[in-house]
Every structure is written in C-alpha cells, then in structure tokens.
Amino acid sequence: MHHRAPSRRILLTVTAATAVAAVTGTLTPAQASDATSDRTLDELISRMSLEEKVGQLFVMRVYGHSATAPDQADIDLNLKEIGVRTAAELVEKYHVGGVIYFSWAHNTRDPHQIAALSNGIQRAALAQPTPVPALISTDQEHGIVCRVGEPATLLPGAMALGASGSRSDAREAARIAGAELAAVGIRQNYAPVADVNVNPANPVIGVRSFGSDPQAVADLVAAQVRGYQQAGVAATSKHFPGHGDTAVDSHYGLPTITHTREQWAELDAPPFRSAIAAGIDSIMTAHIVVPALDPSEDPATLSRPILTGILREQLGYDGVVVTDSLGMEGVRTKYGDERVPVLALKAGVDQLLNPPKLDVAWNAVLKAVKDGELTEARLDESIRRILRLKAKLGLFRRPYVTDAGVDRTVGIRPHLDRADRIAEGTTTLLLNEGGLLPVSRRSHATVLVVGADPASPSGTTGPPTTTLAAEFTSLGFTATALSTGITPTAARIEEAVAAAAGKDLVVVGTYNVSATSPQRTLVDRLVATGVPVVTVAIRNPYDIARLAGVRAALAAYSWTDVELRAAVRVIAGRVRPRGRLPVPVQRADDPTCVLYPVGHGLSYPRRNQ
C-alpha cells in the first residue's frame, strides 16, 4: 500500500513545543507522551507504506565513518552483510527507523566525524517518501563497554559507581555522558544496566552491573535514567527480566535463570520498577530463559508472558521495548532467523535490533503481515511508541547537530575534571597490610608497573600498564611499565622478576584471575622478590581471593584511563580511598565463605593527607 507523502514542513514541526518541553524537563515523560498528539502521529503512520512501517521497527548496524562516502573496505562489508553500499542506501532501501553505532564498524572515529555521520543518516531519513528522522543509538555504558572514545569524556562504569554509592555522582555521570552523545547525534543509549550481579562467575555482566544489592542497584539505575534523559538522550535499562545470575554468555549460548517468581520479584525486578518510575524511555530484553516466568522456555525476547504479561501489564510499562542484538546466539538457538523478529513482535517488542541478516528479518516481518500472522495495527502500535519517543526527543523539530555544539560539549575541561572527581570516589582499597599505603616519593620513589593490558573498551585509551606508570610519573615517581598480559608466559614472568630488582614498589594490574591463571604465578614470583607488591583489579573485584602474599590490593572495576588514574592517586595518597564493595568477594577455596562483604573498603587516616 502506498500513500501520498506529507510535506516536510508538517512532519518536521510535529509537536515541536511538546518535544522541547519534554527534553527541558517542564513536562514529565508521561505528560509529554500524553501531550504529543497521537492523532498527529497516527496521521503520519497512515501515510506510510507497509514497507516503510516494517522499516521503522528495525535498528541496524552499518559499516563506515560516513553516510555516503565510507572507505572501500566498509563498502565491501556492507555489500556482503546487508546488500547496500552505505548508511544512506541502508535507509533508502529498508526505511530503517534507527541505526546503531559501533567502534568496530568504524562509526566512531572522532566527535566531529560522528556528528557528520549522524547528519548524513538524518538527511537520508528525511529524503524518504514519508520523511521520519532516525533514532541513532549505541552502547555507551562507560567502564568496560564504550563505543565513543577520547577525546569524548570517559566516565566510571556501573560497578565503579556502585562502589561510590553516590546517586548524585551516578546522575551527573549520565548527564555528562548523555550531553556528549546528544551533541554528536546519538539520542538513544543502551544504558544503564539494570541487572543485579549476584553470580561472580557471570561472564557477560559482571562490572557492567552496579552491584549485588537490588535496592542499591535500583537507586543508581533511577539516578542514571534521570541524568541521561535530562540531557535529551533516551536511556535504556537492560536486560529485562534480569541477566545478573547466569554463568552463560547469551552472545554464545542460551542461559537459563532458575529464580522462582518470588525470587525474581525480590531480586531482579526492583531496578526495572525503579527505572519505570523514573520515566525510562526504553527497556532492552534479555536472551535468557526464565522457566518460572514462562514455562514454554522461550527466551524472554520472544516471550509474550514476560514482555506483555509482566513488563507491560504487571509493571505498567508503555514505553519502547527494544531487543538485545538479534545476532546473538541466545535468541537464535531455538528458532531460525526468519522467525525471531516475528515472534519478538508478537511477544510485545517495538524495536528489532541488529539482525544478522536484515533482508531475511525485514522480509519475514513483511510476509507475516501480508499472511495475516501479524496485523498492520500491531505494527502501528509499536511505530506509535517509536514516533512518540522521536517527538519527545525533539528529532522532528531539530534532527541535525552542529560542529559548534560538538566543540561546546564534547570532552570539555569541566566534564573531564568532573569525571576525575567522580572516579576518585570509586576506587576500593581491599587490603593494606602493615599500612603500606599510601606510599610517598620519599619512601617508594621507583615503581615497576606490570600486568594485563586488555584492549581499550573504546579503542582510544591505555594500555593499562602505560597509563598507570604515566600517572605515577606525573606525581613525581620514577615509574617503568612492563606489559605481561592476561596469560603471562614463563619468559615474561622472569622478565618481570628481573625488572623488579632494586625497585621500591611493584604494582600489578590483574584481570579476572582464575584458579589456573598464570597471573597467580606472576604475583607469587614478584612477592618472593621481597619488593612490596600492590595489586589493582582492573575488571572484576574478585581477584584478591586468588592472590597470596600481596601487601595491598585495590579494585578499580575497569581499565579505562579515568579509573586507572584514580587508583594511582589513591596509592600515592593524593586522595583517600572511599569506594566500598558493591558485591561480596568470596573465598576461592570455599565460595560459601565471604572474604570481603558488601560494603567493605578501607581508607587512610586523615593525617596522611
């Protein structure tokens, strides 16, 4: 079915006053949604062809730094995976309602380039027969998941903020992050994570969660929702109904959560309830099975009892529901790629994120409508929610961003300084034998920094050993960096031991130390040199349970520069450690015994300041 397109003037002035009021906070999200004329949006929907309606439901990846002139390698990847050359062609062919940015897709080289890419995508969207602005999204959780890197401001991630416990810092971090995303045209962020991480073996959430206490997580989720949405960015709480208690990564398998319905209500639900109460704009689904919530054992993304029965009806949520990536194995285990998007829509989803084969998914939804499995009215229901959100964000009135806005907002000194101050409240001192810390230049002038150097989450920071050593140097120490890696070889361990000779202090960056990790051997050999050893856990805080003989141990919760610099300032006594564990650290030899409980964290006497 085809309809006459309305004028761009009509479309680009849809509910302009309401959108501005919503973003500036003069209306609550619920009031803004009510005030946004559904009649106006319905008129817009009625002018869309069926193909345009189907397209509005999809949020798709695309390779390249430019909407119209990407590098040839990215054109080749787009042709191979999507059947188009560019982002502009993606919008033209499939009428997609949104685009997701990834650093690995070369979308996020630098702020001005990102802004230009966003504007190019918007021009393509507004050149459609029925012009509707695109909703551009990304995963900018901060901490270990970051798509936009320096010179943008990088902030502590969720578990670091959980260690701080400061709702005001959490809100401010989200406000800064949101303002910088909005300045480059990204208006939907897949954060904050609302999962309650109660399983230390969780391979996919971990430090992406604020912690293991449901109410503490709920408070920080609400704070970040308010911060992002104050900045004009749609926050997205994830992964409903809760991904915190799994030992399977849903990227590679289909996890099962064995919580009873009562346990779910007590443990997993509070952060999502809190997000909804705070006016959350979108909620992301989890590719997990929760038999107590849906005995069919369909993944939650495809479960009508979970998404409609619990999220919509029981929790009263009427915002946008977006799937986690449809390319993940967790959602592809039980059904084929052509069934997944149709089942997701039948379950209650609005946005279909990043299917592995867009043509298969797009045509499957189109066919389901033509065959009567999905009604056009069902599509309209989701499109209405999506358009309400676009209107609330002001995209109809002001779809483009400016270079001046980028310069005024992204990576500015007040944001960078605030990030450092927030990070200083997150570093957790777990162990300090004999009061080794803080150290001074007089007592410990020479420092060797060794350890893991995982790739930067954003591709723009680190490596961690270099960052740690550089911060020591900036504080007047003589510091040397030696990367030993996550799995140090025997030769590398010997090199580190030799380098420790004559040093006053050794700092080891550890990364998820396991029972069989050679990182343990590295630490043991360094301890045997007699030089004081300090460990800094640069991912999960559980490493100390598997390390013996160290004099001091800290948790930084991430290996981005802002958190590593804060850890060094704590070691050097420039700031007092204030972080408190947001998760328990259990004994390695007996997980039923807690080595360090939630809330544990040492500090220094004030006289050391």
Side-chain angles (χ1 to χ4, degrees), residues 81-340:
E81 294 186 16
I82 315 172
V84 298
R85 293 168 50 84
T86 66
E89 288 182 14
L90 168 69
V91 174
E92 180 183 6
K93 181 174 181 178
Y94 289 104
H95 318 291
V96 293
V99 173
I100 179 173
Y101 287 171
F102 292 103
S103 50
W104 53 258
H106 313 133
N107 304 139
T108 57
R109 289 181 179 177
D110 66 74
H112 285 287
Q113 167 269 317
I114 300 169
L117 173 60
S118 299
N119 284 343
I121 290 169
Q122 296 295 7
R123 278 191 290 272
L126 297 173
Q128 292 299 293
T130 308
V132 178
L135 183 54
I136 297 168
S137 61
T138 198
D139 292 283
Q140 189 79 348
E141 297 174 16
H142 289 273
I144 73 165
V145 176
C146 238
R147 312 302 189 200
V148 180
E150 292 182 345
T153 304
L154 298 179
L155 294 130
M159 193 170 284
L161 293 171
S164 163
S166 169
R167 282 176 282 182
S168 61
D169 279 357
R171 179 169 181 165
E172 179 70 356
R175 187 198 64 77
I176 291 169
E180 297 199 6
L181 289 175
V184 298
I186 300 171
R187 302 299 297 276
Q188 183 179 26
N189 190 23
Y190 300 134
V193 170
D195 303 317
V196 181
N197 198 78
V198 295
N199 188 342
N202 194 322
V204 65
I205 305 300
V207 292
R208 297 168 63 196
S209 163
F210 290 107
S212 63
D213 179 80
Q215 192 52 55
V217 173
D219 290 344
L220 293 171
V221 165
Q224 289 229 296
V225 168
R226 294 186 178 102
Y228 279 117
Q229 295 185 185
Q230 178 187 351
V233 166
T236 308
S237 289
K238 61 188 185 184
H239 308 78
F240 190 82
H243 209 314
D245 189 10
T246 173
V248 175
D249 185 340
S250 52
H251 290 84
Y252 309 108
L254 179 57
T256 296
I257 305 289
T258 58
H259 294 177
T260 66
R261 185 173 281 263
E262 293 72 25
Q263 286 174 319
W264 174 82
E266 181 180 344
L267 180 66
D268 300 294
F272 291 101
R273 290 184 185 275
S274 183
I276 293 167
I280 187 76
D281 280 327
S282 52
I283 289 177
M284 180 178 283
T285 67
H287 305 326
I288 58 173
V289 169
V290 190
L293 304 184
D294 182 356
S296 76
E297 301 197 3
D298 279 343
T301 298
L302 310 181
S303 168
R304 186 168 180 83
I306 291 175
L307 298 187
T308 297
I310 295 176
L311 182 57
R312 296 285 191 207
E313 296 171 1
Q314 182 180 324
L315 300 186
Y317 177 66
D318 192 38
V320 170
V321 173
V322 56
T323 70
D324 205 344
S325 170
L326 297 182
M328 292 166 60
E329 195 59 35
V331 79
R332 304 172 74 190
T333 298
K334 193 172 178 180
Y335 301 99
D337 289 339
E338 74 285 351
R339 291 300 299 155
V340 165

Side-chain angles (χ1 to χ4, degrees), residues 519-529 546-550:
Q519 293 179 73
R520 299 181 72 186
T521 306
L522 171 69
V523 170
D524 288 345
R525 291 293 310 282
L526 290 169
V527 167
T529 67
R546 298 193 183 277
L547 302 173
V550 301

Side-chain angles (χ1 to χ4, degrees), residues 227-534:
Y228 279 117
Q229 295 185 185
Q230 178 187 351
V233 166
T236 308
S237 289
K238 61 188 185 184
H239 308 78
F240 190 82
H243 209 314
D245 189 10
T246 173
V248 175
D249 185 340
S250 52
H251 290 84
Y252 309 108
L254 179 57
T256 296
I257 305 289
T258 58
H259 294 177
T260 66
R261 185 173 281 263
E262 293 72 25
Q263 286 174 319
W264 174 82
E266 181 180 344
L267 180 66
D268 300 294
F272 291 101
R273 290 184 185 275
S274 183
I276 293 167
I280 187 76
D281 280 327
S282 52
I283 289 177
M284 180 178 283
T285 67
H287 305 326
I288 58 173
V289 169
V290 190
L293 304 184
D294 182 356
S296 76
E297 301 197 3
D298 279 343
T301 298
L302 310 181
S303 168
R304 186 168 180 83
I306 291 175
L307 298 187
T308 297
I310 295 176
L311 182 57
R312 296 285 191 207
E313 296 171 1
Q314 182 180 324
L315 300 186
Y317 177 66
D318 192 38
V320 170
V321 173
V322 56
T323 70
D324 205 344
S325 170
L326 297 182
M328 292 166 60
E329 195 59 35
V331 79
R332 304 172 74 190
T333 298
K334 193 172 178 180
Y335 301 99
D337 289 339
E338 74 285 351
R339 291 300 299 155
V340 165
V342 175
L343 294 173
L345 290 169
K346 293 175 77 170
V349 157
D350 301 306
Q351 289 184 308
L352 300 162
L353 178 63
N354 200 27
K357 296 179 180 178
L358 180 58
D359 60 336
V360 170
W362 192 89
N363 282 302
V365 174
L366 189 66
K367 182 176 186 297
V369 177
K370 290 180 176 178
D371 290 350
E373 184 180 5
L374 286 171
T375 65
E376 200 162 345
R378 170 64 192 90
L379 266 58
D380 293 351
E381 178 186 331
S382 285
I383 294 166
R384 191 175 299 110
R385 290 193 186 100
I386 295 166
L387 296 185
R388 279 179 190 154
L389 180 52
K390 291 180 178 183
K392 176 188 171 183
L393 295 172
L395 285 168
F396 285 97
R397 186 176 64 88
R398 190 173 293 171
Y400 301 112
V401 292
T402 65
D403 284 334
V406 171
D407 292 335
R408 195 167 51 240
T409 310
V410 179
I412 58 175
R413 178 48 53 188
H415 286 179
L416 297 172
D417 289 345
R418 188 65 183 137
D420 279 330
R421 298 292 81 77
I422 291 171
E424 287 175 354
T426 69
T427 305
T428 306
L429 179 61
L430 301 174
L431 174 69
N432 192 17
E433 290 287 349
L436 171 66
L437 303 184
V439 297
S440 71
R441 289 173 294 174
R442 293 184 300 277
S443 61
H444 298 81
T446 58
V447 181
L448 172 66
V449 179
V450 303
D453 273 336
S456 167
S458 64
T460 62
T461 64
T465 55
T466 301
T467 299
L468 291 165
E471 187 66 10
F472 274 113
T473 299
S474 75
L475 298 178
F477 294 81
T478 301
T480 306
L482 174 64
S483 176
T484 50
I486 294 172
T487 54
T489 63
R492 206 64 166 165
I493 291 171
E494 292 304 321
E495 188 177 351
V497 169
K503 298 296 191 296
D504 298 316
L505 187 72
V506 177
V507 175
V508 185
T510 65
Y511 182 101
N512 288 7
V513 178
S514 67
T516 58
S517 172
Q519 293 179 73
R520 299 181 72 186
T521 306
L522 171 69
V523 170
D524 288 345
R525 291 293 310 282
L526 290 169
V527 167
T529 67
V531 180
V533 174
V534 178

